[in-house]
Amino acid sequence: MLNALVTYAAEEAPHNPLIPAWYDILWSGVCFVIILGVVWKVALPKMYALLDKRSAAIEGNIAKADEAQKQAEAALEEYTRQLAEARTEAGEIREAAREDGKKIVAEAKDAASSEAARLTAAAHSQIEAERQTALVSLRSEVGTLAIDLAGGVVGETLSDDARAAAVVDRFLADLEASEKAAQ
């Protein structure tokens, strides 16, 4: 019987190697359906869950990035505003400092002028006092010399104070008159 089966199989039409036998197609179809069912029931839901999770994460990150972008823009605007305010305030402070500097310089000039005027007036009064002192000293010395000379010329001593004072005054008056005439 085995012989009969082998001869029967050999007598059948020639077999095409590119087309599988019908039982191979059947068993391949069964295996495909089982694998398709497992993929459909197990792997595909997990894949969808994973893709949904990644999609949500990406959308969340995009939303966070948008929010961060808005916050960064708001912070930049705030920084720009504060910088402009700081520059304005610095300009005002600079102008106030210039004005204060001008006032201080003006006050220092006024103080220096008044101090110079006070020192000049003090110097003039001191010079006038020294001139008066020198004049008094000169008068007394000139008077003494004049009395001595007059005593030598006249040949008598002028010991009387009233007379000596009159001679000195007359001598000084003559001296001043000669100075005025010389000028």
Side-chain angles (χ1 to χ4, degrees), residues 77-94:
E77 288 175 7
E78 179 67 19
Y79 170 75
T80 305
R81 184 187 59 78
Q82 287 177 351
L83 185 62
E85 288 176 2
R87 285 183 179 158
T88 303
E89 186 177 340
E92 291 171 357
I93 289 171
R94 227 181 353 259

XYZ file of all heavy atoms in Angstrom, residues 77-94:
148
model
N 9.570 91.893 28.807
C 8.893 93.190 28.800
C 9.082 93.899 30.133
O 9.332 95.104 30.174
C 7.405 93.007 28.495
C 7.119 92.625 27.058
C 5.651 92.336 26.822
O 4.826 92.560 27.748
O 5.312 91.872 25.720
N 8.954 93.149 31.236
C 9.143 93.727 32.573
C 10.584 94.222 32.733
O 10.819 95.311 33.248
C 8.822 92.681 33.652
C 8.996 93.159 35.060
C 8.018 94.236 35.470
O 6.968 94.394 34.819
O 8.318 94.947 36.441
N 11.525 93.410 32.282
C 12.934 93.798 32.361
C 13.186 95.061 31.542
O 13.863 95.985 31.992
C 13.812 92.650 31.856
C 15.249 93.026 31.683
C 16.089 93.186 32.784
C 15.777 93.224 30.413
C 17.409 93.545 32.616
C 17.098 93.583 30.246
C 17.912 93.734 31.346
O 19.213 94.100 31.174
N 12.622 95.104 30.338
C 12.796 96.271 29.477
C 12.189 97.513 30.131
O 12.783 98.589 30.109
C 12.151 96.016 28.104
O 12.689 94.811 27.553
C 12.384 97.159 27.150
N 11.022 97.336 30.736
C 10.361 98.465 31.411
C 11.200 98.941 32.590
O 11.418 100.144 32.772
C 8.964 98.048 31.885
C 8.167 99.191 32.522
C 6.863 98.705 33.124
N 7.035 97.702 34.138
C 7.420 97.956 35.398
N 7.682 99.172 35.770
N 7.531 96.981 36.275
N 11.684 97.988 33.393
C 12.505 98.356 34.545
C 13.807 99.010 34.106
O 14.277 99.957 34.737
C 12.808 97.126 35.398
C 11.613 96.622 36.186
C 11.934 95.354 36.960
O 12.983 94.751 36.793
N 11.005 94.948 37.816
N 14.382 98.513 33.017
C 15.612 99.101 32.499
C 15.367 100.535 32.046
O 16.171 101.429 32.324
C 16.151 98.249 31.350
C 17.498 98.663 30.764
C 18.588 98.571 31.818
C 17.846 97.787 29.580
N 14.240 100.759 31.365
C 13.908 102.118 30.924
C 13.692 103.024 32.136
O 14.157 104.172 32.154
C 12.665 102.087 30.039
N 12.997 102.510 33.168
C 12.784 103.296 34.381
C 14.114 103.605 35.059
O 14.334 104.718 35.543
C 11.866 102.545 35.349
C 10.423 102.485 34.917
C 9.566 101.636 35.858
O 10.098 101.125 36.867
O 8.366 101.513 35.585
N 14.994 102.608 35.103
C 16.298 102.809 35.742
C 17.113 103.848 34.980
O 17.774 104.695 35.593
C 17.059 101.484 35.823
N 17.055 103.793 33.656
C 17.786 104.783 32.863
C 17.216 106.182 33.088
O 17.960 107.149 33.208
C 17.727 104.416 31.390
C 18.630 103.259 31.038
C 18.627 102.951 29.580
N 19.542 101.843 29.301
C 19.469 101.086 28.240
N 18.542 101.312 27.338
N 20.331 100.100 28.062
N 15.887 106.277 33.140
C 15.253 107.561 33.394
C 15.650 108.080 34.770
O 16.000 109.254 34.930
C 13.718 107.425 33.299
O 13.384 106.904 32.012
C 13.037 108.750 33.506
N 15.592 107.193 35.753
C 15.954 107.586 37.117
C 17.427 107.983 37.197
O 17.784 108.958 37.861
C 15.682 106.428 38.074
C 15.891 106.762 39.526
C 15.534 105.616 40.448
O 14.798 104.710 40.035
O 16.004 105.645 41.599
N 18.283 107.255 36.490
C 19.711 107.592 36.483
C 19.925 108.967 35.848
O 20.736 109.757 36.335
C 20.507 106.525 35.736
N 19.191 109.254 34.790
C 19.283 110.574 34.159
C 18.837 111.673 35.095
O 19.459 112.740 35.183
N 17.726 111.421 35.817
C 17.238 112.408 36.787
C 18.258 112.616 37.902
O 18.510 113.755 38.323
C 15.898 111.953 37.360
C 14.764 111.978 36.357
C 13.489 111.328 36.883
O 13.510 110.806 38.020
O 12.489 111.351 36.160
N 18.840 111.524 38.373
C 19.843 111.627 39.446
C 21.054 112.402 38.938
O 21.604 113.253 39.646
C 20.241 110.229 39.950
C 19.081 109.611 40.730
C 21.482 110.290 40.818
C 19.294 108.156 41.092
N 21.461 112.118 37.692
C 22.595 112.832 37.103
C 22.303 114.324 37.005
O 23.145 115.163 37.342
C 22.886 112.244 35.723
C 24.313 111.952 35.471
C 24.625 111.382 34.082
N 23.541 111.036 33.204
C 23.093 109.812 33.007
N 23.618 108.797 33.641
N 22.098 109.582 32.166
